[in-house]
Amino acid sequence: MKEIIDGFLKFQRDAFPERADLFKRLATQQNPRALFISCSDSRLVPELVTQREPGDLFVIRNAGNIVPSYGPEPGGVTASVEYAVAALRVSDIVICGHSDCGAMTAIAGCHCLDNMPAVGHWLRYADSARVVNEAREHQSLHDKTASMVRENVIAQLANIQTHPSVRLALEEGRIALHGWVYDIESGEIAAYDGVTRQFVSLAENPATRAMPYRPASAA
């Protein structure tokens, strides 16, 4: 805790004064342009990876960057998605997985989670990705896990489209969906191309979308 408190004191002393005007504007309002859904893993920091300032991203983090399908019992993720899309009216949603994900490793390796029943229950929201991944051949557990990370991003992109607020925003042509996988060691991001249904380098294909904006009248 000493290091955490020392970090806060450094922020208060050095970083906060440099952004005093920004924090003054943010004190009574926020206008983030993107909803960023990522894993809780300590190695993935959305604001660092995207070089965004406070107020730029509305962030949801949980084990496995999971978005449960919309249902009659709304949870924290559902409420946060709805608020970001319906109230804040973000224009983009990013679902970002990452390499060496503990949640996806547990699924790919069929690890017993009897001692963590809440985690096991939560990861059931990745079942559709698991079934697809299990139907494929993999050269190694490492490859199987990496594939699971990608399949999970695709599955969560499908899940989020069951949310009424997201569905409406897509129909109105005011939101785009993005599926990313961040590689911790290289710092690179692979983005899911909804047209080719392949992951491509985001650096080489910055316009890549999982589902692009489209006019409300589009078929």
Side-chain angles (χ1 to χ4, degrees):
M1 279 303 299
K2 183 180 184 302
E3 293 180 352
I4 294 175
I5 294 171
D6 287 346
F8 161 68
L9 294 176
K10 181 179 180 181
F11 163 78
Q12 192 177 54
R13 182 182 65 248
D14 301 330
F16 186 88
E18 293 177 358
R19 295 171 173 80
D21 290 341
L22 170 62
F23 287 116
K24 185 176 182 179
R25 293 195 302 273
L26 293 175
T28 57
Q29 63 180 343
Q30 63 169 322
N31 186 35
R33 301 316 309 154
L35 166 60
F36 199 102
I37 303 171
S38 69
C39 186
S40 297
D41 194 293
S42 61
R43 298 166 294 179
L44 171 55
V45 182
E47 292 85 354
L48 177 63
V49 170
T50 61
Q51 291 292 280
R52 295 293 83 202
E53 289 281 8
D56 290 340
L57 299 178
F58 192 81
V59 178
I60 299 173
R61 300 183 68 173
N62 62 59
N65 43 275
I66 283 171
V67 183
S69 297
Y70 190 82
E73 298 181 6
V77 174
T78 298
S80 297
V81 168
E82 186 173 79
Y83 184 76
V85 176
L88 298 177
R89 297 180 73 82
V90 296
S91 59
D92 294 271
I93 298 176
V94 179
I95 297 179
C96 185
H98 66 92
S99 61
D100 194 45
C101 178
M104 298 304 110
T105 298
I107 295 173
C110 300
H111 294 175
C112 177
L113 296 173
D114 288 348
N115 63 327
M116 293 186 286
V119 174
H121 176 77
W122 177 250
L123 295 184
R124 292 298 303 273
Y125 290 113
D127 273 358
S128 61
R130 177 185 59 79
V131 170
V132 171
N133 203 48
E134 289 287 346
R136 295 176 175 161
E137 293 186 3
H138 306 281
Q139 297 299 314
S140 65
L141 179 58
H142 178 272
D143 290 344
K144 186 178 181 181
T145 300
S147 177
M148 183 65 205
V149 170
R150 294 190 296 271
E151 288 300 330
N152 182 56
V153 168
I154 296 170
Q156 304 315 319
L157 285 167
N159 284 352
I160 202 168
Q161 292 179 62
T162 68
H163 291 239
S165 59
V166 175
R167 178 63 179 168
L168 177 61
L170 288 169
E171 285 299 309
E172 292 177 345
R174 60 179 176 84
I175 204 166
L177 304 183
H178 310 258
W180 292 359
V181 173
Y182 169 68
D183 185 79
I184 296 170
E185 184 174 4
S186 69
E188 297 178 354
I189 288 177
Y192 183 68
D193 186 329
V195 176
T196 65
R197 299 175 68 182
Q198 300 291 324
F199 280 89
V200 299
S201 167
L202 182 62
E204 297 175 5
N205 303 272
T208 300
R209 304 286 186 272
M211 181 171 287
Y213 306 98
R214 64 186 181 93
S217 60

